[in-house]
């Protein structure tokens, strides 16, 4: 579920004719006094963060003078929720409230209909008054029955003269939710002012993930459930997922407070929900702090797993890399092994790695991973389904302790063979290029490369590999070329390199585009 900030939600309400307080978003404390002046007099300041109950946390404050506004803004802009600092504060005219109503729209899975929750007894503490809240089903074709809303109002302390304006606002709120395909839209409180105007004083909207692509106007970076604004790496990961539909890739960074008192920060790479959870528990039980959650499953390509590993390793302060998932994956695990081996080799991995590659063809997968990483400074160990997550986590802890150096992922950097971008030959594939150092090839090796690439390459007649398929077919074969790259490496003949730069992390090798 993608969430919108309060102000963005209110702006959408306004576009649908709902009255909202005049307001402006600031990012610096010194902007507060200008905002106050423009709004004229008393203002309310509100942190724009994805948290509930801001008022109780000091995230809603009132100010009457420029000094008050600026000092409230500077406190708020210094606040931190999880590891996400408050970056925006909404400064709004403070409106004189006569009545507060709770209005919430959700898609009710049981009722299989949008549901309007309405409470007319004041805003906060709604959780404790669940029994008082009216629930009205909304017809997908005809909307709400105004009469049903009026009945609820008649049963409330709200004077009847205000009822038409409240019904009108609720109809507009429903129209807003419908237009943006909201999964939920809450206005808490919808307020009736002393002069009778009905105003949305707060707004939280979540958009259905599957509808996000229809709403570029909302500017949602990541159509997935996150409890914080997307980090740079999460945005990069999301783009990778959007551009490659082979299997699924999910990456989210986790709160890391207090990791200094534990055994260290680590990168986590799961495969398959339940097994990943078990594995996260196992490695947390060893005292490690997970910098991230990551899942590559559903038969991901080697290229996708490679990119996932690269993104994980881009995080700072990691002491190791722990991968473990379902353990009984039906996907061919060697695709993942190739992708991981490529990432670790490119990064000249120095941190301990334990990967549980349980599942189909696991022996071959473990063999590929360990053999391809044998010359790296790091110890890289692969395990199988019969090795429990707890066992693997324990082994990982031993390796991290043995290493016991000050080194972390901060010191890692990507290295690309010197001949890439130079005299070697290249052809484009989706998302990058394949480079072949033809001057180091011979007929024997070329014959093997034809096999390792699954027939994508053949001997050009002079003992040098050339494409055996059309450029279009080759372009889709990034994972097969990764397999070929790793097999060349294992054979001690690293003559092929798949350059798959990740936008936002790498620059493209010179001359390769
Ligand atoms: P939340 O605590 O995160 O839900 O933040 P809200 O924006 O809903 O504000 C919390 C409460 O502050 C509301 O229920 C109101 O009682 C009060 N409040 C917010 N804006 C105003 C305003 O403009 N005028 C007045 N008088 N009270 C306000
Ligand atoms: Mn609220």
């Amino acid at each position: 579920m993608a969430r919108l900030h309060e102000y963005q939600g209110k702006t959408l309400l306004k576009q649908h004719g709902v009255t909202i307080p005049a307001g402006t978003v600031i990012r610096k404390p010194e902007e507060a006094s200008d905002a106050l002046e423009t709004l004229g007099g008393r203002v309310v300041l509100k942190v724009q963060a994805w948290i509930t109950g801001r008022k109780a946390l000091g995230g809603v404050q009132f100010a009457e003078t420029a000094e008050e506004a600026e000092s409230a803004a500077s406190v708020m802009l210094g606040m931190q929720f999880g590891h996400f600092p408050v970056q925006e504060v909404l400064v709004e005219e403070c409106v004189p409230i006569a009545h507060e109503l709770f209005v919430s729209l959700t898609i009710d899975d049981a009722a299989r209909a949008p549901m309007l929750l309405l409470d007319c007894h004041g805003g906060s503490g709604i959780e404790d008054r669940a029994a008082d809240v009216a629930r009205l089903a909304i017809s997908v074709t005809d909307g709400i029955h105004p009469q049903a809303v009026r009945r609820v109002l008649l049963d409330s302390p709200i004077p009847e003269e205000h009822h038409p304006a409240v019904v009108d606002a609720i109809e507009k709120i429903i129209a807003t939710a419908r237009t943006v395909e909201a999964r939920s839209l809450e206005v808490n409180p919808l307020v009736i002012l002393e002069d009778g105007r009905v105003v949305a004083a707060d707004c939280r909207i979540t958009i259905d993930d599957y509808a996000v692509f229809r709403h570029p106007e909302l500017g949602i970076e990541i159509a997935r459930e996150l409890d914080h604004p997307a980090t740079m790496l999460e945005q990069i990961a999301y783009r990778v997922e959007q551009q490659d539909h082979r299997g699924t890739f999910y990456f989210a960074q986790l709160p890391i407070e207090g990791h200094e008192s534990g055994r260290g920060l680590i990168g986590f790479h799961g495969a398959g929900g339940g097994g990943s959870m078990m594995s996260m528990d196992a490695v947390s039980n060893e005292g490690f702090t997970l910098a991230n959650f990551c899942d590559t499953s559903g038969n991901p390509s080697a290229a996708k797993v490679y990119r996932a590993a690269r993104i994980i390793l881009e995080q700072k302060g990691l002491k190791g890399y722990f991968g473990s998932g379902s353990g009984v994956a039906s996907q061919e695990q060697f695709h993942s092994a190739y992708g991981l081996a490529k990432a670790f080799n490119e990064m000249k991995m120095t941190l301990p790695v334990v990967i549980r590659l349980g599942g189909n063809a696991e022996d071959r997968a473990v063999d590929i991973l360990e053999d391809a990483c044998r010359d790296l400074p790091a110890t890289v160990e692969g395990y199988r389904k019969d090795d429990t997550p707890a066992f693997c986590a324990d082994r990982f802890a031993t390796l991290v302790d043995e290493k016991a150096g000050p080194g972390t992922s901060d010191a890692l950097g990507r290295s690309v063979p010197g001949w890439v971008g130079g005299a070697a030959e290249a052809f484009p594939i989706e998302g990058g290029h394949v480079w072949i150092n033809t001057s180091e090839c011979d007929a024997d090796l070329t014959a093997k490369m034809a096999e390792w690439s699954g027939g994508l390459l053949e001997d050009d007649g002079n003992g040098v590999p050339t494409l055996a398929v059309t450029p279009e077919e080759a372009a889709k074969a990034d994972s097969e070329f990764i397999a070929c790259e790793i097999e060349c490496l294992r054979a001690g003949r690293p003559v092929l390199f798949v350059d798959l730069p990740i936008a936002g992390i790498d620059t493209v090798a010179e001359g390769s585009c």
Side-chain angles (χ1 to χ4, degrees):
M1 230 72 69
R3 257 164 88 166
L4 305 182
H5 274 319
E6 174 192 2
Y7 189 65
Q8 192 181 5
K10 280 178 166 170
T11 308
L12 291 166
L13 288 174
K14 187 179 175 184
Q15 287 165 6
H16 288 83
V18 181
T19 309
I20 61 166
T24 174
V25 170
I26 62 167
R27 299 177 71 93
K28 294 194 196 92
E30 53 274 23
E31 293 164 4
S33 49
D34 267 1
L36 181 129
E37 202 167 304
T38 314
L39 296 167
R42 198 166 143 77
V43 295
V44 51
L45 294 96
K46 302 175 173 189
V47 298
Q48 299 297 284
W50 295 354
I51 49 166
T52 47
R54 284 172 302 179
K55 201 171 183 200
L57 296 167
V60 175
Q61 289 182 38
F62 300 88
E64 278 186 53
T65 64
E67 293 72 39
E68 281 172 13
E70 211 170 302
S71 87
S74 89
V75 171
M76 287 179 174
L77 287 165
M79 284 178 171
Q80 180 110 4
F81 296 102
H83 53 157
F84 295 91
V86 172
Q87 290 176 327
E88 293 179 338
V89 168
L90 173 60
V91 186
E92 272 184 348
E93 61 169 319
C94 181
V95 291
I97 297 177
H99 301 277
E100 295 199 14
L101 291 84
F102 166 83
V103 176
S104 168
L105 299 170
T106 51
I107 306 297
D108 187 319
D109 290 325
R112 309 180 96 191
M115 194 68 77
L116 168 69
L117 307 188
L118 178 59
D119 179 84
C120 308
H121 300 86
S124 47
I126 189 71
E127 297 80 3
D128 307 326
R129 292 197 310 276
D132 297 338
V133 179
R135 297 169 59 87
L136 304 175
I138 301 169
S139 158
V140 187
T141 46
D142 308 330
I144 192 103
H145 296 297
Q147 205 49 44
V149 180
R150 262 182 236 125
R151 269 197 297 274
V152 177
L153 291 168
L154 282 170
D155 209 23
S156 81
I158 309 227
E160 212 173 327
E161 54 176 308
H162 300 310
H163 294 188
V166 171
V167 172
D168 180 58
I170 288 175
E171 286 181 323
K172 287 168 174 162
I173 291 168
I174 293 170
T176 310
R178 195 187 176 99
T179 310
V180 299
E181 300 183 70
R183 178 82 203 177
S184 71
L185 193 165
E186 184 182 288
V187 178
N188 182 27
L190 178 71
V191 297
I192 304 171
L193 305 189
E194 283 158 10
D195 64 8
R197 279 185 300 150
V198 175
V199 174
D202 190 9
C203 180
R204 342 173 105 242
I205 301 183
T206 58
I207 307 292
D208 192 326
D209 291 347
Y210 297 102
V212 164
F213 75 97
R214 282 192 290 271
H215 299 281
E217 77 281 5
L218 299 176
I220 293 167
E221 290 149 343
I222 296 197
R224 274 181 172 175
E225 185 120 29
L226 276 178
D227 61 357
H228 55 256
T231 64
M232 174 88 83
L233 287 177
E234 286 167 350
Q235 293 179 37
I236 290 169
Y238 189 69
R239 283 199 293 273
V240 166
E241 171 65 358
Q242 291 307 98
Q243 286 159 12
D244 184 348
H245 291 285
R246 299 165 297 179
T248 60
F249 166 39
Y250 181 85
F251 172 85
Q253 292 187 276
L254 299 173
I256 56 169
E257 285 90 48
H259 73 88
E260 300 86 355
S261 61
R263 211 160 181 173
L265 207 55
I266 60 162
F268 177 80
H269 192 152
S276 295
M277 293 300 155
M278 237 165 84
S279 304
M280 288 171 83
D281 278 349
V283 78
S284 300
N285 287 342
E286 292 290 339
F288 291 106
T289 304
L290 280 67
N292 71 283
F293 173 71
C294 170
D295 180 50
T296 49
S297 53
N299 209 13
S301 62
K304 196 168 215 173
V305 174
Y306 158 78
R307 289 187 168 106
R310 289 284 319 282
I311 290 169
I312 289 171
L313 286 173
E314 218 36 50
Q315 300 177 104
K316 299 287 170 230
L318 306 183
K319 290 218 161 263
Y321 192 110
F322 186 70
S324 171
S326 81
V328 288
S330 58
Q331 67 211 29
E332 311 274 28
Q333 290 293 65
F334 52 82
H335 295 302
S336 293
Y338 280 130
L340 291 167
K342 175 168 172 59
F344 298 149
N345 273 280
E346 259 180 52
M347 300 304 283
K348 299 274 172 281
M349 190 64 163
T350 54
L351 314 171
V353 176
V354 165
I355 309 282
R356 182 165 167 263
L357 285 159
N360 224 0
E362 59 182 15
D363 289 332
R364 185 176 158 199
V366 169
D367 190 37
I368 290 166
L369 178 71
E370 292 188 343
D371 187 46
C373 296
R374 64 179 189 253
D375 293 333
L376 290 175
T379 307
V380 177
E381 296 185 354
Y383 290 93
R384 299 167 177 79
K385 60 173 165 285
D386 290 339
D387 306 310
T388 63
F391 170 83
C392 294
D394 180 70
R395 181 67 197 143
F396 178 68
T398 305
L399 292 180
V400 173
D401 286 351
E402 267 171 16
K403 175 140 190 306
T408 68
S409 54
D410 299 18
L412 296 175
R414 182 185 188 222
S415 63
V416 169
W419 37 267
V420 167
E425 301 205 1
F427 53 87
I429 56 169
E430 278 175 18
H433 285 78
V434 172
W435 291 85
I436 302 178
N437 191 11
T438 46
S439 63
E440 291 295 319
C441 296
D442 56 44
D444 271 1
L445 181 61
T446 299
K448 285 182 185 145
M449 289 169 75
E451 194 185 313
W452 292 331
S453 66
L456 295 170
L457 298 172
E458 64 185 3
D459 196 318
D460 72 348
N462 299 309
V464 169
T466 187
L467 270 184
V469 295
T470 63
E472 292 73 30
E473 280 173 82
K476 296 201 179 305
D478 49 1
S479 291
E480 289 74 8
F481 287 117
I482 289 177
C484 187
E485 172 184 331
I486 297 303
E487 292 303 337
C488 287
L489 183 74
R490 291 177 70 189
R493 303 284 300 274
V495 298
L496 186 148
F497 183 80
V498 187
D499 184 25
L500 294 174
I502 302 173
I505 296 182
D506 301 319
T507 45
V508 180
E510 219 175 296
S512 72
C513 45

